[in-house]
Amino acid sequence: MATERPRWEFEGLEDRVPFLARLEEEDRTTLLSTGRALQFSTRTAVLRQDEPSTHVLLILRGWTKVTASAAGNGYEALLALRGPGDIVGEAAAVSSRPRSATVTTLEPVEAVAIEQDRFASFLRDCPGAAMQLLSLTSDRLRSGDRHRLQAAALPVRERLAVLLLDLIRAHGHRTDAGIEVRVPLSKQELAGSIGASREMVQRLLRELRDRGVVTTGRRTLVVLRPDVLRRMARI
């Protein structure tokens, strides 16, 4: 019988269940007991693209960004945000290939590191957990496909509106001013998430500020009119 979902600190993520929340309580306890606790400061690269895989990380507290750089031109794409309950580095660990992306903290992070061989043994001994990892991988692939479709089909303005709606749904906290996005993303990181230039994103955000749709500061964003974003995104 499935166990009750633990109260990881990921309010507002009902449509994106992280790995630890998918596990039975016994499997979750077993997995966490095989690793070592680590703490990272803000803007620290905890995993690096192209490096050999040695371990996976289970995030207990704090948020990270997952990015990948194209060889030669220096362009960095923001692929995903990973937070409490999430696992990172699992693809390289399972495939024994170099890491395909860099994971960087956006704020102080507490995590558990599990050596690659121990993680593999855990998956062999706990088939239910292995199936949950497969389910998570499938969900992430579907999400990636959706973002690629949006990038191909939608203009930049609409892609930004979709991104802002995703952010307030997943990371938004209601305040007296509006819905505040609590994950500190720079304009460059927003641009990398939708495949646009930083200058374009700055211009579009300025237009939204002028219309009273959002307010912005240094790594802060508050959405005042989500209804306008939904119309922009054609949702």
Side-chain angles (χ1 to χ4, degrees):
M1 183 172 62
T3 57
E4 181 181 355
R5 177 180 174 181
R7 294 184 178 180
W8 301 103
E9 296 180 3
F10 48 46
E11 300 94 332
L13 297 181
E14 290 80 3
D15 61 340
R16 189 190 66 80
V17 182
F19 182 57
L20 288 178
R22 297 172 184 241
L23 299 182
E24 298 287 342
E25 182 176 359
E26 182 178 357
D27 289 345
R28 185 167 55 248
T29 300
T30 298
L31 179 60
L32 290 172
S33 69
T34 64
R36 66 184 190 280
L38 297 174
Q39 294 184 344
F40 302 98
S41 58
T42 304
R43 298 284 160 176
T44 299
V46 297
L47 302 176
R48 294 184 183 275
Q49 184 176 346
D50 297 327
E51 286 187 346
S53 172
T54 59
H55 63 282
V56 302
L57 285 177
L58 299 169
I59 302 172
L60 303 183
R61 186 183 301 274
W63 284 91
T64 67
K65 64 173 182 175
V66 182
T67 60
S69 300
N73 63 10
Y75 178 77
E76 184 178 77
L78 177 63
L79 304 180
L81 301 175
R82 301 287 183 240
D86 275 323
I87 184 172
V88 291
E90 78 288 348
V94 170
S95 66
S96 298
R97 294 179 178 177
R99 302 197 187 282
S100 60
T102 295
V103 179
T104 306
T105 61
L106 295 171
E107 59 188 359
V109 164
E110 296 177 11
V112 171
I114 301 174
E115 298 301 320
Q116 183 168 319
D117 57 345
R118 291 190 175 188
F119 184 63
S121 295
F122 167 77
L123 294 178
R124 287 193 295 270
D125 295 339
C126 302
M131 288 301 298
Q132 290 299 335
L133 183 63
L134 180 61
S135 175
L136 175 67
T137 301
S138 175
D139 288 346
R140 289 180 175 179
L141 287 173
R142 290 164 69 94
S143 177
D145 289 343
R146 178 172 64 88
H147 286 298
R148 282 188 289 274
L149 179 60
Q150 289 172 350
L154 298 180
V156 174
R157 186 185 305 273
E158 294 175 13
R159 296 205 301 268
L160 179 61
V162 170
L163 172 63
L164 296 181
L165 289 170
D166 284 347
L167 287 174
I168 63 173
R169 185 172 66 249
H171 311 287
H173 293 253
R174 290 196 175 273
T175 68
D176 292 339
I179 307 176
E180 180 183 359
V181 176
R182 293 287 178 88
V183 178
L185 293 173
S186 68
K187 306 300 187 298
Q188 183 61 54
E189 288 161 347
L190 292 174
S193 184
I194 60 174
S197 68
R198 184 176 185 274
E199 291 73 22
M200 174 62 78
V201 167
Q202 283 184 313
R203 181 171 67 79
L204 292 174
L205 287 175
R206 184 167 59 250
E207 291 178 6
L208 292 174
R209 286 197 303 269
D210 293 343
R211 295 172 59 186
V213 179
V214 304
T215 62
T216 62
R218 187 176 183 275
R219 300 189 188 280
T220 62
L221 173 69
V222 179
V223 174
L224 310 176
R225 295 288 307 277
D227 58 312
V228 175
L229 293 179
R230 283 192 290 270
R231 287 198 295 271
M232 290 174 58
R234 303 180 186 179
I235 294 176

